[in-house]
Amino acid sequence: QLKQVLLSEMKKIGPRGALPSFRELRRHYQISQSTIDKAFFELEKEGFLYRIQGKGTFVAEPKEKTKEEKKNIKMVGLVVADLTISFHSDIARAVEDEAHKRDCQIILGNSDNNAQKEEIYMRRFCKQKVEGMVIVTDKSSLQNKYFQQLDGSIPLVIVDAFVDEVQADYVTTDDLTGACEATKHLLELGHRRIAHLTGRKNISTSHNRLAGYKKALVEARIGADEELIKTTDFTKEGGYQAMKELLTI
């Protein structure tokens, strides 16, 4: 109790101001010397006061923050197109894991494949002066004009699909080579009527995978049958419907 009372009084006295003597404290609060000694010992240990031999006890300057307190927590903005897609949620988890290792805090936004919502999150992150942004893109990102307004002051990493004319670091797969090798594998097994489910052609992942598929067929001297190419989206429902249509051909 005495410690809390003294802390309150010290705020009124101010830095370098003298505290009452032990005798005055004993008389005023009607407490023992041992109680005063204990309170002063803890306050001195915590850096709230200091003693000068022969002169008395004084209020210390506001204590410096520890290294941990001085170290600002770095914030990183992460926008995911659709957290219900396991691929996207896996990316979000991996980003958070790596950020945690580096004492960074993730601010997460789910854009729901909505360009306007994606832009709102990005603008918020810029206002909060995050250390960087990670955007897991989808078809909606192509309508997000805010990408072109970024001046490079905040590091930007785009994951999955490319965004035209946007200078950023990209983390993506080699879609063309992957699709080509997958198609070649089926050809090597003896298959010749090979279907391809593709996303919208204006998305880099869809475009490159389709190109890889056709490349393998051309190299095998098999023309691509446009009836076996179905445009869909990257959802289970879309894939299911496209497969139903293919099985009727």
Side-chain angles (χ1 to χ4, degrees):
Q1 289 177 337
L2 176 61
K3 181 179 175 182
Q4 295 305 316
V5 169
L6 290 173
L7 282 169
S8 179
E9 290 298 315
M10 288 161 64
K11 290 180 181 179
K12 299 176 184 178
I13 296 171
R16 300 183 183 180
L19 287 167
S21 67
F22 286 9
R23 181 181 298 176
E24 291 171 330
L25 290 171
R26 284 200 309 270
R27 185 186 308 120
H28 183 76
Y29 294 108
Q30 297 293 307
I31 53 177
S32 67
Q33 182 64 45
S34 62
T35 299
I36 297 173
D37 288 340
K38 183 178 180 181
F40 271 65
F41 173 80
E42 290 186 9
L43 289 169
E44 186 175 13
K45 183 180 179 181
E46 294 170 10
F48 290 108
L49 56 80
Y50 62 95
R51 305 183 194 193
I52 300 179
Q53 189 69 32
K55 292 186 177 181
T57 306
F58 302 85
V59 179
E61 296 282 353
K63 66 174 184 175
E64 290 189 5
K65 293 183 178 180
T66 64
K67 290 182 179 180
E68 283 298 314
E69 290 172 324
K70 285 182 178 179
K71 184 169 61 175
N72 292 325
I73 297 176
K74 296 180 179 179
M75 309 298 289
V76 176
L78 170 63
V79 182
V80 178
D82 187 353
L83 275 173
T84 63
I85 297 176
S86 61
F87 171 60
H88 287 182
S89 58
D90 288 345
I91 292 173
R93 175 60 187 270
V95 171
E96 197 280 330
D97 286 346
E98 290 302 315
H100 179 69
K101 292 177 186 177
R102 293 160 176 77
D103 295 322
C104 293
Q105 178 70 45
I106 291 295
I107 311 174
L108 176 63
N110 181 59
S111 69
D112 292 317
N113 290 310
N114 183 299
Q116 185 178 15
K117 193 174 178 183
E118 183 180 76
E119 178 180 339
I120 289 171
Y121 276 121
M122 292 174 68
R123 287 184 181 276
R124 284 178 184 170
F125 294 160
C126 288
K127 286 182 180 179
Q128 291 174 307
K129 298 181 179 179
V130 295
E131 297 291 324
M133 287 192 290
V134 180
I135 313 297
V136 183
T137 53
D138 206 296
K139 58 182 180 293
S140 61
S141 302
L142 303 178
Q143 282 76 51
N144 182 358
K145 303 303 181 184
Y146 189 64
F147 279 108
Q148 281 75 20
Q149 298 179 35
L150 296 174
D151 58 7
S153 59
I154 296 178
L156 175 65
V157 177
I158 294 177
V159 182
D160 198 16
F162 288 87
V163 181
D164 291 341
E165 300 179 0
V166 175
Q167 296 298 315
D169 290 318
Y170 284 86
V171 180
T172 186
T173 53
D174 187 347
D175 294 296
L176 191 149
T177 300
C180 184
E181 290 182 354
T183 306
K184 283 182 178 180
H185 174 68
L186 293 175
L187 289 167
E188 289 169 359
L189 293 176
H191 302 294
R192 290 297 178 265
R193 283 175 53 80
I194 302 171
H196 180 71
L197 305 187
T198 181
R200 296 186 180 182
K201 295 179 181 180
N202 58 346
I203 303 175
S204 65
T205 50
S206 302
H207 173 79
N208 292 335
R209 290 169 190 172
L210 179 59
Y213 161 77
K214 289 184 174 181
K215 181 174 183 290
L217 293 178
V218 169
E219 291 177 356
R221 298 183 180 180
I222 299 174
D225 186 345
E226 294 299 325
E227 273 196 322
L228 297 179
I229 300 173
K230 291 295 180 181
T231 300
T232 180
D233 54 26
F234 298 117
T235 64
K236 292 180 181 179
E237 294 76 13
Y240 175 77
Q241 185 59 40
M243 280 302 302
K244 282 182 65 177
E245 294 175 11
L246 281 168
L247 292 173
T248 62
I249 297 175

